[in-house]
Amino acid sequence: MSPRSWGRLFFGLQAVAGAAWWIAVFTWPGVRTVTLGALDPALVALLDVPLFVLGSALAALGVRAAVWVAAGWTAVVAAGMALYATVTGMAGWGALLMVAAALGSIGAAVLVLTGRVPAEWLLRGPFRFRLAATARPVAHLSRTAVQILVFTAVFLVALPAVIAVVEHRWGLHVPFPVAVRVAGVVLFAVAFALSMWSATAMSMRGEGTPLPSAMPRRLVVAGPYRFVRNPMAVGGIAQGVAVGLMAGSWLVVLYALCGSLVWNALVRPLEEADLEARFGAEFRTYRDRVACWVPRRPRLPV
């Protein structure tokens, strides 16, 4: 299937799901309570049925104007529901579902309107591919340490904290057993050690940093890179999952797993294409012998 077909398929499924949800809202009070709270369903349906359900259906049929309407309306409703759930503490599931629908609608709209997956949009500003400047290994190591601190502060502390607060406020929290939280501590320690090992190998042997704006000048096939091609990504994602387990937040765990999907589907292909362009057969041999995600016994010389 082409990207446009995938986008249209999403809108078609969204139209069906939206229609089924509205039937459930008017049929089962429980569904109405957890997804709309105290909002008047008839008043909401007056706009949502034509703009969300019918708009998605027309977008699935290829009507370009309907794509803008469906995606735009879904984003507006998601923002409104998120605000409503945060202020009132009600309709948390409705807010979560609409946020997911908004993200999906925006992605589907991009596919339908552009006919491709514009992954390069992610590689702008500080994330644009650039070789690291020539410097001593200790300078690269220092720069990498700063990157890790920023990554930790933003993606492992600030964002998970916001998500955990929202999870509680929206009434979505599910208590985790103590054993699960302890497992999160162990996983975080192992993942953190992997990340530090990877960062050191990248800085000392690769003459660069993990950040795209200061990429290594040499292909690193030593250290943890002998076991898996992307140990920094594995370590970072595992730390995100571990933070969710330690915090007792299933939404944080989901956030980390979604991040892994985005990285694998959009960023990794661009990164590997860049490595192949710069290192040619050396990288192709490495790619063929070392797994992408799951560590395995090394097939490279020490």
Side-chain angles (χ1 to χ4, degrees):
M1 292 177 62
S2 67
R4 282 196 171 91
S5 297
W6 281 111
R8 291 170 61 181
L9 176 61
F10 176 87
F11 280 117
L13 294 175
Q14 182 166 266
V16 173
W21 174 70
W22 274 115
I23 291 173
V25 165
F26 286 106
T27 304
W28 294 313
V31 173
R32 181 166 63 248
T33 299
V34 298
T35 58
L36 286 179
L39 294 174
D40 184 347
L43 183 61
V44 177
L46 186 64
L47 289 175
D48 195 65
V49 170
L51 297 177
F52 180 71
V53 179
L54 296 182
S56 296
L58 291 174
L61 296 175
V63 180
R64 292 177 67 88
V67 173
W68 290 98
V69 171
W73 173 252
T74 306
V76 169
V77 172
M81 288 298 299
L83 179 62
Y84 176 77
T86 302
V87 172
T88 66
M90 298 187 294
W93 283 105
L96 181 63
L97 291 173
M98 287 309 303
V99 168
L103 294 175
S105 294
I106 293 171
V110 171
L111 293 180
V112 173
L113 296 174
T114 67
R116 64 189 187 91
V117 180
E120 71 279 2
W121 290 0
L122 297 175
L123 302 177
R124 302 288 178 87
F127 300 105
R128 183 168 63 89
F129 287 157
R130 286 176 291 188
L131 283 179
T134 303
R136 296 172 60 188
V138 66
H140 294 306
L141 192 60
S142 299
R143 192 173 302 166
T144 297
V146 173
Q147 294 175 11
I148 291 174
L149 286 175
V150 172
F151 174 87
T152 300
V154 174
F155 295 102
L156 298 181
V157 177
L159 289 179
V162 171
I163 293 171
V165 169
V166 166
E167 181 180 311
H168 281 80
R169 182 58 181 166
W170 291 6
L172 305 176
H173 180 65
V174 177
F176 281 18
V178 174
V180 172
R181 299 195 177 208
V182 173
V185 174
V186 175
L187 176 60
F188 186 88
V190 173
F192 181 78
L194 174 61
S195 295
M196 293 303 100
W197 187 19
S198 306
T200 302
M202 180 71 72
S203 301
M204 303 301 289
R205 294 176 176 268
E207 300 179 5
T209 76
L211 196 69
S213 62
M215 296 186 70
R217 306 179 69 87
R218 299 173 57 190
L219 182 65
V220 180
V221 297
Y225 292 89
R226 295 181 62 234
F227 300 91
V228 64
R229 296 204 306 272
N230 301 284
M232 284 294 294
V234 172
I237 293 163
Q239 286 178 78
V241 172
V243 168
L245 297 179
M246 290 189 294
S249 171
W250 68 271
L251 268 184
V252 173
V253 174
L254 181 62
Y255 146 81
L257 295 177
C258 288
S260 72
L261 295 177
V262 171
W263 186 89
N264 186 64
L266 300 180
V267 178
R268 182 182 62 82
L270 296 176
E271 182 181 78
E272 295 196 343
D274 175 78
L275 291 171
E276 184 173 7
R278 289 195 289 127
F279 300 111
E282 183 184 7
F283 172 74
R284 289 192 291 272
T285 299
Y286 173 68
R287 180 187 59 197
D288 294 341
R289 293 183 177 181
V290 179
C292 176
W293 280 104
V294 181
R296 66 188 183 192
R297 185 177 179 181
R299 297 173 60 189
L300 291 172
V302 178

